[in-house]
Amino acid sequence: MEATKKPIIHESWYNVLNAEFEKDYFMSLKAFLVEEKKHHVVYPPGPLIFNAFDTTPFDEVKVVILGQDPYHGPGQAHGLCFSVPEGVQPPPSLVNIFKEQNEDLGLPRPQHGNLTAWAKQGVLLLNATLTVRAHTAGSHQKKGWETFTDAAIKAVSDNLTGVVFLLWGNYAQAKSAIIDTSKHHILKSVHPSPLSASRGFFGCKHFSKANELLKAQGKEPINWRLQ
């Protein structure tokens, strides 16, 4: 993201978040990124930083899955949390997501790890931090991204109704503080990483539960199958 360019973001989101782009914290964040790119490789590529917002229009958000950081290996991050482009080996957390999906819904494991099909159905795949330095997990935390993505979560909470938030792990669960639970649904479990998945992610049945909550509101359920 260059300091002078308008971000690549769906117009519906830009209308909701445009004030954030003018705030001091975001100006500092842009300056940090410009400087960072002079010395380091940054993921995801600039045009994909806001991919979650560009692929899932604001008014169409039905489910929110929250991640923490983009993947920091070459070719992995493409702006959707937990997702990788086709042709890239699914990382361990994503493999566990597919295992739970199989157990919950009986779906076969996909041949790829690209979750764009979910995003196009209204699943906002949002990392709290939208960029990362190559090979350095957490390197862009506390630079301003969290303020921006918290504003996005709060916009969903304030302006939409009946959204299902899937909060996996302590970091994601902390975001429940800015979600209006009188209007929305929160499903919590441990993180799907190999370190914790066996302590409650496996068996959480969040995919079927999310669809049940959507159908109860008369909304179209998510087709979780990836072709």
Side-chain angles (χ1 to χ4, degrees):
M1 181 181 56
E2 301 301 334
T4 55
K5 288 184 180 177
K6 178 180 174 180
I8 300 172
I9 186 170
H10 192 275
E11 198 66 27
S12 60
W13 275 108
Y14 192 77
N15 292 337
V16 171
L17 296 174
N18 65 83
E20 298 300 313
F21 298 117
E22 307 302 325
K23 292 182 178 178
D24 288 346
Y25 84 86
F26 203 87
M27 297 297 181
S28 298
L29 172 60
K30 286 200 288 188
F32 163 76
L33 288 172
V34 168
E35 199 61 29
E36 182 82 344
K37 287 180 178 181
K38 290 178 183 176
H39 308 286
H40 304 282
V41 174
V42 172
Y43 299 131
L48 295 177
I49 289 173
F50 293 95
N51 195 17
F53 299 101
D54 200 43
T55 308
T56 309
F58 179 73
D59 299 334
E60 296 177 18
V61 174
K62 295 192 287 190
V63 176
V64 178
I65 299 178
L66 291 176
Q68 189 166 353
D69 251 13
Y71 296 125
H72 53 81
Q76 292 180 310
H78 68 139
L80 304 176
C81 76
F82 294 107
S83 180
V84 291
E86 293 186 38
V88 176
Q89 187 74 22
S93 291
L94 183 54
V95 170
N96 285 340
I97 288 169
F98 290 152
K99 284 181 181 176
E100 173 56 23
Q101 187 186 60
N102 170 259
E103 185 67 28
D104 183 13
L105 302 173
L107 297 180
R109 178 176 165 176
Q111 298 300 305
H112 61 83
N114 189 337
L115 306 182
T116 299
W118 296 359
K120 288 183 175 179
Q121 296 178 74
V123 181
L124 181 65
L125 297 168
L126 182 63
N127 278 314
T129 303
L130 298 189
T131 57
V132 69
R133 183 188 298 178
H135 310 297
T136 314
S139 48
H140 289 185
Q141 291 177 7
K142 300 181 180 176
K143 302 295 185 184
W145 278 130
E146 294 91 341
T147 304
F148 178 79
T149 53
D150 278 1
I153 294 167
K154 196 165 187 312
V156 170
S157 178
D158 291 350
N159 296 290
L160 302 178
T161 57
V163 174
V164 183
F165 289 83
L166 306 186
L167 305 183
W168 298 337
N170 293 334
Y171 187 89
Q173 289 173 23
K175 302 297 182 181
S176 60
I178 54 175
I179 300 166
D180 185 348
T181 54
S182 70
K183 298 166 59 183
H184 303 286
H185 306 279
I186 294 179
L187 299 177
K188 297 180 180 180
S189 85
V190 299
H191 196 276
S193 84
L195 297 173
S196 56
S198 61
R199 300 201 305 268
F201 180 76
F202 293 140
C204 71
K205 298 189 181 298
H206 279 186
F207 302 101
S208 60
K209 288 177 179 177
N211 275 351
E212 287 164 12
L213 289 166
L214 293 174
K215 286 189 285 188
Q217 303 173 65
K219 295 181 181 181
E220 188 73 22
I222 305 300
N223 177 6
W224 297 105
R225 181 188 293 270
L226 295 174
Q227 302 302 326

PDB file of all heavy atoms in Angstrom, residues 93-112:
ATOM      1  N   SER A  93      -2.896 -25.037  10.656  1.00  0.00           N
ATOM      2  CA  SER A  93      -4.183 -24.588  11.200  1.00  0.00           C
ATOM      3  C   SER A  93      -5.302 -24.791  10.185  1.00  0.00           C
ATOM      4  O   SER A  93      -6.422 -25.191  10.546  1.00  0.00           O
ATOM      5  CB  SER A  93      -4.114 -23.108  11.604  1.00  0.00           C
ATOM      6  OG  SER A  93      -3.284 -22.935  12.722  1.00  0.00           O
ATOM      7  N   LEU A  94      -5.016 -24.531   8.929  1.00  0.00           N
ATOM      8  CA  LEU A  94      -6.027 -24.707   7.891  1.00  0.00           C
ATOM      9  C   LEU A  94      -6.341 -26.187   7.691  1.00  0.00           C
ATOM     10  O   LEU A  94      -7.510 -26.559   7.476  1.00  0.00           O
ATOM     11  CB  LEU A  94      -5.557 -24.059   6.589  1.00  0.00           C
ATOM     12  CG  LEU A  94      -6.540 -24.082   5.415  1.00  0.00           C
ATOM     13  CD1 LEU A  94      -7.888 -23.485   5.790  1.00  0.00           C
ATOM     14  CD2 LEU A  94      -5.950 -23.355   4.215  1.00  0.00           C
ATOM     15  N   VAL A  95      -5.334 -27.022   7.768  1.00  0.00           N
ATOM     16  CA  VAL A  95      -5.564 -28.474   7.694  1.00  0.00           C
ATOM     17  C   VAL A  95      -6.529 -28.905   8.796  1.00  0.00           C
ATOM     18  O   VAL A  95      -7.459 -29.692   8.572  1.00  0.00           O
ATOM     19  CB  VAL A  95      -4.228 -29.241   7.805  1.00  0.00           C
ATOM     20  CG1 VAL A  95      -4.486 -30.743   7.969  1.00  0.00           C
ATOM     21  CG2 VAL A  95      -3.362 -28.992   6.568  1.00  0.00           C
ATOM     22  N   ASN A  96      -6.346 -28.352  10.002  1.00  0.00           N
ATOM     23  CA  ASN A  96      -7.231 -28.701  11.116  1.00  0.00           C
ATOM     24  C   ASN A  96      -8.639 -28.141  10.922  1.00  0.00           C
ATOM     25  O   ASN A  96      -9.622 -28.771  11.337  1.00  0.00           O
ATOM     26  CB  ASN A  96      -6.632 -28.205  12.434  1.00  0.00           C
ATOM     27  CG  ASN A  96      -5.469 -29.060  12.890  1.00  0.00           C
ATOM     28  OD1 ASN A  96      -5.319 -30.204  12.453  1.00  0.00           O
ATOM     29  ND2 ASN A  96      -4.637 -28.532  13.755  1.00  0.00           N
ATOM     30  N   ILE A  97      -8.745 -26.981  10.305  1.00  0.00           N
ATOM     31  CA  ILE A  97     -10.064 -26.444   9.967  1.00  0.00           C
ATOM     32  C   ILE A  97     -10.784 -27.408   9.032  1.00  0.00           C
ATOM     33  O   ILE A  97     -11.976 -27.707   9.207  1.00  0.00           O
ATOM     34  CB  ILE A  97      -9.925 -25.039   9.335  1.00  0.00           C
ATOM     35  CG1 ILE A  97      -9.518 -24.020  10.409  1.00  0.00           C
ATOM     36  CG2 ILE A  97     -11.225 -24.616   8.649  1.00  0.00           C
ATOM     37  CD1 ILE A  97      -9.111 -22.672   9.852  1.00  0.00           C
ATOM     38  N   PHE A  98     -10.061 -27.924   8.047  1.00  0.00           N
ATOM     39  CA  PHE A  98     -10.675 -28.869   7.107  1.00  0.00           C
ATOM     40  C   PHE A  98     -11.027 -30.195   7.800  1.00  0.00           C
ATOM     41  O   PHE A  98     -12.034 -30.831   7.464  1.00  0.00           O
ATOM     42  CB  PHE A  98      -9.736 -29.123   5.926  1.00  0.00           C
ATOM     43  CG  PHE A  98      -9.587 -27.943   5.004  1.00  0.00           C
ATOM     44  CD1 PHE A  98      -8.420 -27.765   4.265  1.00  0.00           C
ATOM     45  CD2 PHE A  98     -10.594 -26.995   4.867  1.00  0.00           C
ATOM     46  CE1 PHE A  98      -8.270 -26.688   3.407  1.00  0.00           C
ATOM     47  CE2 PHE A  98     -10.457 -25.914   4.012  1.00  0.00           C
ATOM     48  CZ  PHE A  98      -9.294 -25.751   3.278  1.00  0.00           C
ATOM     49  N   LYS A  99     -10.207 -30.609   8.773  1.00  0.00           N
ATOM     50  CA  LYS A  99     -10.530 -31.836   9.521  1.00  0.00           C
ATOM     51  C   LYS A  99     -11.839 -31.668  10.284  1.00  0.00           C
ATOM     52  O   LYS A  99     -12.691 -32.562  10.300  1.00  0.00           O
ATOM     53  CB  LYS A  99      -9.393 -32.164  10.494  1.00  0.00           C
ATOM     54  CG  LYS A  99      -8.160 -32.751   9.859  1.00  0.00           C
ATOM     55  CD  LYS A  99      -7.103 -33.052  10.927  1.00  0.00           C
ATOM     56  CE  LYS A  99      -5.831 -33.620  10.305  1.00  0.00           C
ATOM     57  NZ  LYS A  99      -4.769 -33.827  11.331  1.00  0.00           N
ATOM     58  N   GLU A 100     -11.999 -30.516  10.942  1.00  0.00           N
ATOM     59  CA  GLU A 100     -13.226 -30.266  11.695  1.00  0.00           C
ATOM     60  C   GLU A 100     -14.423 -30.144  10.758  1.00  0.00           C
ATOM     61  O   GLU A 100     -15.515 -30.630  11.062  1.00  0.00           O
ATOM     62  CB  GLU A 100     -13.077 -28.998  12.551  1.00  0.00           C
ATOM     63  CG  GLU A 100     -14.352 -28.537  13.243  1.00  0.00           C
ATOM     64  CD  GLU A 100     -14.998 -29.587  14.140  1.00  0.00           C
ATOM     65  OE1 GLU A 100     -14.287 -30.517  14.589  1.00  0.00           O
ATOM     66  OE2 GLU A 100     -16.218 -29.491  14.379  1.00  0.00           O
ATOM     67  N   GLN A 101     -14.209 -29.533   9.620  1.00  0.00           N
ATOM     68  CA  GLN A 101     -15.268 -29.405   8.627  1.00  0.00           C
ATOM     69  C   GLN A 101     -15.735 -30.788   8.160  1.00  0.00           C
ATOM     70  O   GLN A 101     -16.940 -31.036   8.015  1.00  0.00           O
ATOM     71  CB  GLN A 101     -14.718 -28.595   7.454  1.00  0.00           C
ATOM     72  CG  GLN A 101     -15.716 -28.206   6.399  1.00  0.00           C
ATOM     73  CD  GLN A 101     -15.000 -27.542   5.235  1.00  0.00           C
ATOM     74  OE1 GLN A 101     -14.143 -28.142   4.600  1.00  0.00           O
ATOM     75  NE2 GLN A 101     -15.344 -26.307   4.967  1.00  0.00           N
ATOM     76  N   ASN A 102     -14.782 -31.676   7.949  1.00  0.00           N
ATOM     77  CA  ASN A 102     -15.104 -33.037   7.546  1.00  0.00           C
ATOM     78  C   ASN A 102     -15.905 -33.755   8.631  1.00  0.00           C
ATOM     79  O   ASN A 102     -16.916 -34.414   8.361  1.00  0.00           O
ATOM     80  CB  ASN A 102     -13.825 -33.814   7.232  1.00  0.00           C
ATOM     81  CG  ASN A 102     -14.073 -35.298   7.032  1.00  0.00           C
ATOM     82  OD1 ASN A 102     -13.823 -36.097   7.930  1.00  0.00           O
ATOM     83  ND2 ASN A 102     -14.583 -35.674   5.871  1.00  0.00           N
ATOM     84  N   GLU A 103     -15.454 -33.593   9.874  1.00  0.00           N
ATOM     85  CA  GLU A 103     -16.122 -34.246  11.002  1.00  0.00           C
ATOM     86  C   GLU A 103     -17.530 -33.680  11.207  1.00  0.00           C
ATOM     87  O   GLU A 103     -18.474 -34.418  11.483  1.00  0.00           O
ATOM     88  CB  GLU A 103     -15.286 -34.058  12.272  1.00  0.00           C
ATOM     89  CG  GLU A 103     -15.808 -34.799  13.491  1.00  0.00           C
ATOM     90  CD  GLU A 103     -15.718 -36.307  13.358  1.00  0.00           C
ATOM     91  OE1 GLU A 103     -14.824 -36.791  12.634  1.00  0.00           O
ATOM     92  OE2 GLU A 103     -16.537 -37.005  13.986  1.00  0.00           O
ATOM     93  N   ASP A 104     -17.650 -32.363  11.048  1.00  0.00           N
ATOM     94  CA  ASP A 104     -18.910 -31.673  11.302  1.00  0.00           C
ATOM     95  C   ASP A 104     -19.918 -31.887  10.172  1.00  0.00           C
ATOM     96  O   ASP A 104     -21.091 -32.185  10.414  1.00  0.00           O
ATOM     97  CB  ASP A 104     -18.616 -30.170  11.489  1.00  0.00           C
ATOM     98  CG  ASP A 104     -19.839 -29.344  11.827  1.00  0.00           C
ATOM     99  OD1 ASP A 104     -20.897 -29.915  12.157  1.00  0.00           O
ATOM    100  OD2 ASP A 104     -19.736 -28.097  11.776  1.00  0.00           O
ATOM    101  N   LEU A 105     -19.467 -31.731   8.944  1.00  0.00           N
ATOM    102  CA  LEU A 105     -20.383 -31.707   7.802  1.00  0.00           C
ATOM    103  C   LEU A 105     -20.227 -32.880   6.848  1.00  0.00           C
ATOM    104  O   LEU A 105     -21.003 -33.022   5.906  1.00  0.00           O
ATOM    105  CB  LEU A 105     -20.176 -30.403   7.010  1.00  0.00           C
ATOM    106  CG  LEU A 105     -20.381 -29.098   7.783  1.00  0.00           C
ATOM    107  CD1 LEU A 105     -19.979 -27.911   6.923  1.00  0.00           C
ATOM    108  CD2 LEU A 105     -21.824 -28.959   8.247  1.00  0.00           C
ATOM    109  N   GLY A 106     -19.174 -33.688   7.071  1.00  0.00           N
ATOM    110  CA  GLY A 106     -18.944 -34.818   6.177  1.00  0.00           C
ATOM    111  C   GLY A 106     -18.363 -34.436   4.835  1.00  0.00           C
ATOM    112  O   GLY A 106     -18.400 -35.224   3.889  1.00  0.00           O
ATOM    113  N   LEU A 107     -17.814 -33.211   4.738  1.00  0.00           N
ATOM    114  CA  LEU A 107     -17.244 -32.766   3.474  1.00  0.00           C
ATOM    115  C   LEU A 107     -15.851 -33.347   3.274  1.00  0.00           C
ATOM    116  O   LEU A 107     -15.074 -33.444   4.232  1.00  0.00           O
ATOM    117  CB  LEU A 107     -17.161 -31.230   3.443  1.00  0.00           C
ATOM    118  CG  LEU A 107     -18.482 -30.471   3.518  1.00  0.00           C
ATOM    119  CD1 LEU A 107     -18.227 -28.978   3.487  1.00  0.00           C
ATOM    120  CD2 LEU A 107     -19.406 -30.875   2.373  1.00  0.00           C
ATOM    121  N   PRO A 108     -15.512 -33.711   2.050  1.00  0.00           N
ATOM    122  CA  PRO A 108     -14.155 -34.204   1.797  1.00  0.00           C
ATOM    123  C   PRO A 108     -13.150 -33.079   1.957  1.00  0.00           C
ATOM    124  O   PRO A 108     -13.478 -31.899   1.793  1.00  0.00           O
ATOM    125  CB  PRO A 108     -14.215 -34.670   0.339  1.00  0.00           C
ATOM    126  CG  PRO A 108     -15.319 -33.864  -0.270  1.00  0.00           C
ATOM    127  CD  PRO A 108     -16.324 -33.652   0.828  1.00  0.00           C
ATOM    128  N   ARG A 109     -11.904 -33.442   2.286  1.00  0.00           N
ATOM    129  CA  ARG A 109     -10.879 -32.418   2.384  1.00  0.00           C
ATOM    130  C   ARG A 109     -10.653 -31.788   1.009  1.00  0.00           C
ATOM    131  O   ARG A 109     -10.489 -32.492   0.014  1.00  0.00           O
ATOM    132  CB  ARG A 109      -9.566 -33.016   2.898  1.00  0.00           C
ATOM    133  CG  ARG A 109      -8.471 -31.964   2.957  1.00  0.00           C
ATOM    134  CD  ARG A 109      -7.183 -32.471   3.544  1.00  0.00           C
ATOM    135  NE  ARG A 109      -6.121 -31.516   3.232  1.00  0.00           N
ATOM    136  CZ  ARG A 109      -4.872 -31.628   3.663  1.00  0.00           C
ATOM    137  NH1 ARG A 109      -4.526 -32.639   4.429  1.00  0.00           N
ATOM    138  NH2 ARG A 109      -3.975 -30.738   3.332  1.00  0.00           N
ATOM    139  N   PRO A 110     -10.656 -30.453   0.942  1.00  0.00           N
ATOM    140  CA  PRO A 110     -10.473 -29.785  -0.358  1.00  0.00           C
ATOM    141  C   PRO A 110      -9.102 -30.077  -0.953  1.00  0.00           C
ATOM    142  O   PRO A 110      -8.150 -30.420  -0.242  1.00  0.00           O
ATOM    143  CB  PRO A 110     -10.610 -28.299  -0.012  1.00  0.00           C
ATOM    144  CG  PRO A 110     -11.301 -28.257   1.309  1.00  0.00           C
ATOM    145  CD  PRO A 110     -10.886 -29.494   2.031  1.00  0.00           C
ATOM    146  N   GLN A 111      -9.002 -29.896  -2.244  1.00  0.00           N
ATOM    147  CA  GLN A 111      -7.739 -30.098  -2.944  1.00  0.00           C
ATOM    148  C   GLN A 111      -6.838 -28.868  -2.865  1.00  0.00           C
ATOM    149  O   GLN A 111      -5.724 -28.872  -3.379  1.00  0.00           O
ATOM    150  CB  GLN A 111      -8.019 -30.428  -4.419  1.00  0.00           C
ATOM    151  CG  GLN A 111      -8.820 -31.708  -4.612  1.00  0.00           C
ATOM    152  CD  GLN A 111      -8.116 -32.924  -4.040  1.00  0.00           C
ATOM    153  OE1 GLN A 111      -6.970 -33.201  -4.382  1.00  0.00           O
ATOM    154  NE2 GLN A 111      -8.778 -33.627  -3.137  1.00  0.00           N
ATOM    155  N   HIS A 112      -7.329 -27.802  -2.258  1.00  0.00           N
ATOM    156  CA  HIS A 112      -6.555 -26.559  -2.142  1.00  0.00           C
ATOM    157  C   HIS A 112      -6.990 -25.831  -0.874  1.00  0.00           C
ATOM    158  O   HIS A 112      -7.959 -26.235  -0.217  1.00  0.00           O
ATOM    159  CB  HIS A 112      -6.782 -25.665  -3.368  1.00  0.00           C
ATOM    160  CG  HIS A 112      -8.218 -25.252  -3.544  1.00  0.00           C
ATOM    161  ND1 HIS A 112      -8.773 -24.189  -2.865  1.00  0.00           N
ATOM    162  CD2 HIS A 112      -9.218 -25.782  -4.291  1.00  0.00           C
ATOM    163  CE1 HIS A 112     -10.050 -24.067  -3.198  1.00  0.00           C
ATOM    164  NE2 HIS A 112     -10.350 -25.030  -4.058  1.00  0.00           N
TER     165      HIS A 112
END
